[in-house]
Amino acid sequence: MNNISQSQIEYLNSPITVLKGIGPKKAQLFSRLGINTIWDLVYYFPGSYDDRRKVCMLRECIPGELCCVKVRPIRQIIERKIKPKLSIFLLYASDGYDTVTIKWFSAPFSKPKVLSGHEYTVYGQMREIGGKKEFEMRYMEDSENPRYTEAIIPIYPATSGLSSKVISEAVTMALESVNALSDCLPEQITKKYSLMNLLDAVKTLHRPDDFHNLKAAHDRLAFEELFVLTLALSFIKKRRVDKSGITINATSHVREFASRLPFILTDGQKQTINDICSDLKSQKPMNRLVQGDVGCGKTAVAAAILYATAKSGYQSAFMAPTEILANQHYNTLTSLLGSEVRIALFTSSVKGKARLSEAIAKGEYDIVVGTHALIEGKLQFSNLALCITDEQHRFGVNQRAMLSSKGISPHVLVMSATPIPRTLSLILYGDLDISVIKSMPKGRQTIETYHILPNIRERAYGFVRKEVSLGHQCYVVCPLVEDSEAIEASSVEQTISVLRTGALRGLSVECVHGKMKADEKDEIMNRFKNNEINVLVSTTVIEVGVDVPNATVMLIENAERFGLSQLHQLRGRVGRGDYKSYCILVSDCTTDNCRERMKIMTETTDGFEISQKDLELRGSGQFFGTRQHGVPELKVANLFSDAHLLQNAVESAKEIIQADAALSSPELANIRGRIDALFAEFDGYDIFN
């Protein structure tokens, strides 16, 4: 690892206003993108690249194919206004052999000056219109000093008032004074995997000279990113293993619980329970993720372990992301465990919390089911031995740690109904052991899924009305709460208005969305659960919701605006009872990617297969908000295309931990700094304390 001078550190930590042309106003625009310092700017990488290296003669241009041409103006630019704020510009030019009209659209009065006889490089594409050829220009500059043509050009994620070009110019200025970067990779690792020098990699990502070097630069930075993150999670895991836990012999209690169930546990449930029992009787605190598709029976697994913990004389905490879900778990556990296990419900709306808190602290309850209220107040437990969090993607690393802090090294079980590909699990849950339940309980309904175009929407709502006439209920999901001028998509407010006066007139149609107060949402959802509402129009707030066995139709408007995994989660809200259930995806697909996604949804109900496809089609950055999962976002790495790097990064992290479990040696100081910064930037989680 290289050393970096103090002056270079100070420069990298300087505000971007030290750069020429960036004042307070422009700095505010950069701040929208998370760019405040020179370091932020240097590590703000392009999202894509334009290959503008191909230079053609006019007669060689293939219509529709992007390329550069070198031409000289024949006459001055002509401007024709077509709207108050839009003009069309025409330039007649020649490459010495042929002539062409170069055309582009821009704001009025933005006509550039061109010198007769002077050569310009123009990037764009040839078009044939009415038998005549025109060259549609995307960029033009003087051929004597090309900067944005005849090269691979970085395209940066931009924001209103701040273009990719302006960002590129700022990055170029910043890099001129950067001669070293703090490299956290040990030398033996860079040599083992033949990784590019860090500074060269950063500069190459911003200004690649060819795609071979660009890939090498990407691999270097992606490896480092994955290495730091997996090392951080491995460090957490190693530190947890070094602690002593509460020994619970759960086997006999679990067998007793299973024998009283009105159904037989699946093989997947049994294996997961075996994994957990093995963890509980070891002398180390359990830290396990139970991952399974919607309806696979994770709650029954949790109930078995909660029962065994209570029968062993210890307390458990069960945290859910919403009051509705907490209430549902409370009712389910009360039904499954009976009166011999004392269960309390602890949420922000529960009355008499002071008295309840005192009773929990005295050990008068075996299981406490609740929401964030479990960690937000001063609630204390008598002998907390097990912490369970449901729908883990709604909680962060810090929240999980806060719940665990209520006891002395309690066992931790987290549950997720979002099937995650193995590569992604290594990052998101690298500090956890993982159990997967793939088998489904007998009798679980297979949901028929259909993709329809918007022009037959009325027929779909006719089907919804038919299902309601049979005594069933339906969901309608929209991507927006209210209409937006910027986004053309269905909104809850507009949809419910149209349905109440049109296709579903006379039915009980209500809505729920994230802008409503918690008690309003709970009231609507409880009425829906009690079959007082026929059709519930909603945003994705019902993705994690109550179990309504009577709901048989999930109709999703603008389905193209949701990820595959999210669509699958929404689909899992129906088919939970004894009735045939359906999912209808309304989407006017216009791209091959969209059509492929709709096809996947109609052909498979396997959540793991869907999540893998989702990762392939959308990339890890949009698979779901990694920040929502309690892990910082990856700036360079893609967990699908960089899976080979991830495996090497995991192996390297393990080697480092085995050699120096505390990461205490001086040569690992940069690694410690990167890990601390990574988690501090995210949610203040202090990994080393």
Side-chain angles (χ1 to χ4, degrees):
M1 289 177 281
N2 66 320
N3 294 318
I4 181 170
S5 68
Q6 186 60 36
S7 61
Q8 189 73 171
I9 292 173
E10 290 174 359
Y11 173 69
L12 288 167
N13 289 327
S14 299
I16 59 171
T17 48
V18 301
L19 297 176
K20 184 180 178 181
I22 300 182
K25 287 186 177 180
K26 191 171 283 186
Q28 285 183 344
L29 296 176
F30 274 99
S31 186
R32 286 185 198 166
L33 301 172
I35 302 171
N36 298 295
T37 66
I38 297 297
W39 192 94
D40 295 335
L41 187 59
V42 167
Y43 273 82
Y44 189 76
F45 296 115
S48 60
Y49 299 85
D50 266 355
D51 188 357
R52 303 180 184 178
R53 293 173 298 173
K54 185 177 181 180
V55 180
C56 299
M57 301 296 292
L58 289 172
R59 66 183 60 178
E60 296 172 337
C61 292
I62 300 172
E65 188 175 289
L66 291 165
C67 66
C68 290
V69 294
K70 291 188 175 185
V71 296
R72 298 177 188 273
I74 296 175
R75 63 186 75 164
Q76 285 299 309
I77 296 171
I78 299 170
E79 177 182 357
R80 295 174 182 165
K81 279 191 179 181
I82 55 177
K83 289 182 180 179
K85 294 184 179 181
L86 186 66
S87 290
I88 184 171
F89 294 90
L90 303 171
L91 172 64
Y92 298 98
S94 170
D95 64 356
Y97 296 93
D98 300 285
T99 59
V100 74
T101 299
I102 297 172
K103 178 178 75 173
W104 69 97
F105 295 89
S106 190
F109 315 115
S110 63
K111 179 170 64 177
K113 289 183 180 179
V114 294
L115 301 174
S116 180
H118 206 75
E119 188 176 60
Y120 295 89
T121 303
V122 184
Y123 174 67
Q125 56 189 327
M126 191 70 78
R127 296 286 192 189
E128 287 190 21
I129 302 174
K132 293 183 179 181
K133 288 186 177 181
E134 288 182 341
F135 196 86
E136 291 186 356
M137 186 269 284
R138 295 193 178 188
Y139 193 81
M140 180 170 65
E141 64 184 353
D142 195 311
S143 295
E144 286 187 5
N145 185 29
R147 294 179 61 192
Y148 294 96
T149 58
E150 302 182 55
I152 299 172
I153 306 302
I155 308 299
Y156 294 87
T159 186
S160 178
L162 195 65
S163 67
S164 173
K165 182 183 174 186
V166 171
I167 297 170
S168 180
E169 290 171 348
V171 170
T172 300
M173 275 194 291
L175 285 173
E176 287 174 356
S177 300
V178 177
N179 52 46
L181 290 169
S182 181
D183 190 348
C184 73
L185 288 184
E187 188 177 350
Q188 69 265 27
I189 291 178
T190 57
K191 285 184 176 179
K192 180 178 179 179
Y193 297 109
S194 302
L195 298 173
M196 185 184 282
N197 169 273
L198 176 59
L199 182 58
D200 290 342
V202 168
K203 289 186 173 181
T204 300
L205 266 191
H206 286 298
R207 227 7 157 157
D209 50 8
D210 61 51
F211 283 101
H212 175 76
N213 285 336
L214 176 60
K215 185 181 184 307
H218 167 89
D219 286 357
R220 167 60 174 82
L221 288 159
F223 183 96
E224 179 178 319
E225 208 169 37
L226 296 170
F227 170 75
V228 170
L229 195 47
T230 53
L231 184 60
L233 295 171
S234 296
F235 187 87
I236 294 173
K237 195 170 189 175
K238 181 69 169 64
R239 186 178 59 180
R240 182 254 301 174
V241 168
D242 288 342
K243 291 182 179 180
S244 295
I246 300 167
T247 301
I248 298 174
N249 197 334
T251 306
S252 60
H253 297 306
V254 166
R255 284 176 181 158
E256 179 189 347
F257 170 80
S259 68
R260 291 162 36 183
L261 289 173
F263 53 85
I264 298 174
L265 294 171
T266 66
D267 290 343
Q269 287 173 314
K270 290 176 182 177
Q271 181 57 55
T272 298
I273 290 173
N274 284 338
D275 292 343
I276 295 169
C277 287
S278 178
D279 290 341
L280 293 178
K281 70 180 180 182
S282 76
Q283 296 179 343
K284 306 298 180 185
M286 172 177 69
N287 227 29
R288 182 169 293 277
L289 164 70
V290 174
Q291 188 184 336
D293 215 337
V294 175
C296 71
K298 294 182 297 298
T299 304
V301 169
I305 303 308
L306 288 165
Y307 178 82
T309 303
K311 283 295 188 179
S312 299
Y314 296 102
Q315 288 179 304
S316 301
F318 192 157
M319 186 165 68
T322 66
E323 288 207 14
I324 294 171
L325 202 52
N327 271 283
Q328 180 173 297
H329 284 314
Y330 172 76
N331 292 329
T332 301
L333 291 173
T334 300
S335 172
L336 287 174
L337 303 183
S339 59
E340 60 185 296
V341 177
R342 301 164 299 176
I343 307 173
L345 178 65
F346 196 89
T347 66
S348 58
S349 63
V350 168
K351 295 179 181 179
K353 280 203 290 291
R355 187 183 302 170
L356 184 56
S357 296
E358 187 178 335
I360 293 168
K362 289 180 179 178
E364 294 177 11
Y365 287 98
D366 303 307
I367 300 169
V368 184
V369 181
T371 56
H372 293 79
L374 292 174
I375 59 175
E376 288 170 353
K378 295 180 180 179
L379 179 65
Q380 298 296 320
F381 289 80
S382 171
N383 57 350
L384 182 65
L386 173 65
C387 297
I388 300 179
T389 56
D390 190 25
E391 298 300 342
Q392 167 59 22
H393 66 288
R394 299 298 177 100
F395 298 105
V397 173
N398 228 15
Q399 290 166 318
R400 213 164 68 210
M402 287 169 69
L403 182 59
S404 297
S405 69
K406 299 287 183 177
I408 300 173
S409 300
H411 298 286
V412 174
L413 183 69
V414 298
M415 304 195 300
S416 176
T418 304
I420 301 168
R422 182 177 176 276
T423 52
L424 204 52
S425 294
L426 285 171
I427 289 296
L428 293 175
Y429 302 118
D431 61 323
L432 302 173
D433 298 312
I434 300 175
S435 293
V436 177
I437 304 176
K438 284 202 170 183
S439 52
M440 300 294 280
K442 288 183 178 179
R444 176 67 175 164
Q445 292 288 329
T446 299
I447 304 162
E448 289 188 13
T449 304
Y450 302 92
H451 167 221
I452 66 168
L453 297 175
N455 60 1
I456 61 169
R457 179 187 282 114
E458 288 300 310
R459 285 175 57 190
Y461 280 112
F463 179 71
V464 167
R465 179 177 279 278
K466 179 183 175 183
E467 283 294 301
V468 171
S469 72
L470 295 173
H472 303 150
Q473 295 165 274
C474 306
Y475 295 97
V476 175
V477 173
C478 304
L480 303 176
V481 174
E482 54 194 22
D483 284 351
S484 167
E485 292 183 3
I487 303 173
E488 189 176 337
S490 299
S491 70
V492 168
E493 292 183 356
Q494 177 65 18
T495 299
I496 195 169
S497 175
V498 170
L499 293 179
R500 280 174 172 172
T501 57
L504 302 183
R505 185 174 62 255
L507 301 184
S508 174
V509 183
E510 298 292 344
C511 71
V512 64
H513 53 73
K515 290 187 177 182
M516 297 169 68
K517 292 180 180 178
D519 56 348
E520 288 182 282
K521 284 190 288 187
D522 288 347
E523 190 265 335
I524 293 290
M525 292 300 291
N526 283 323
R527 284 178 57 205
F528 186 67
K529 184 177 182 181
N530 295 331
N531 202 6
E532 297 169 17
I533 296 170
N534 302 132
V535 178
L536 186 65
V537 182
S538 170
T539 55
T540 56
V541 294
I542 55 102
E543 179 187 356
V544 177
V546 292
D547 190 355
V548 183
N550 194 48
T552 57
V553 178
M554 168 63 67
L555 189 149
I556 304 173
E557 294 279 4
N558 297 107
E560 75 280 356
R561 290 191 167 271
F562 301 93
L564 290 179
S565 293
Q566 196 168 38
L567 290 173
H568 182 61
Q569 287 294 304
L570 290 169
R571 175 168 62 184
R573 291 297 100 209
V574 296
R576 307 177 79 84
D578 298 327
Y579 313 110
K580 185 66 182 172
S581 295
Y582 310 86
C583 178
I584 302 171
L585 307 173
V586 184
S587 176
D588 188 7
C589 281
T590 57
T591 66
D592 291 341
N593 180 282
C594 177
R595 282 188 284 270
E596 174 67 14
R597 291 169 61 231
M598 295 303 108
K599 183 182 178 186
I600 291 166
M601 287 300 300
T602 58
E603 291 182 350
T604 182
T605 56
D606 185 328
F608 289 90
E609 182 179 342
I610 287 170
S611 67
Q612 182 63 44
K613 290 291 185 181
D614 206 6
L615 189 60
E616 291 177 29
L617 293 170
R618 293 201 296 159
S620 55
Q622 295 180 347
F623 183 77
F624 39 54
T626 47
R627 286 182 176 271
Q628 193 177 359
H629 270 71
V631 176
E633 291 176 283
L634 298 172
K635 295 180 179 179
V636 181
N638 178 296
L639 291 172
F640 175 69
S641 58
D642 295 328
H644 62 296
L645 298 175
L646 176 60
Q647 192 58 50
N648 292 338
V650 169
E651 290 176 6
S652 298
K654 285 181 180 177
E655 290 172 8
I656 293 291
I657 287 288
Q658 287 171 0
D660 185 355
L663 305 182
S664 57
S665 60
E667 57 266 28
L668 299 181
N670 284 351
I671 292 180
R672 286 177 63 100
R674 279 293 302 278
I675 292 173
D676 266 341
L678 191 70
F679 281 87
E681 171 193 315
F682 175 62
D683 63 3
Y685 184 74
D686 185 356
I687 195 169
F688 293 107
N689 292 306

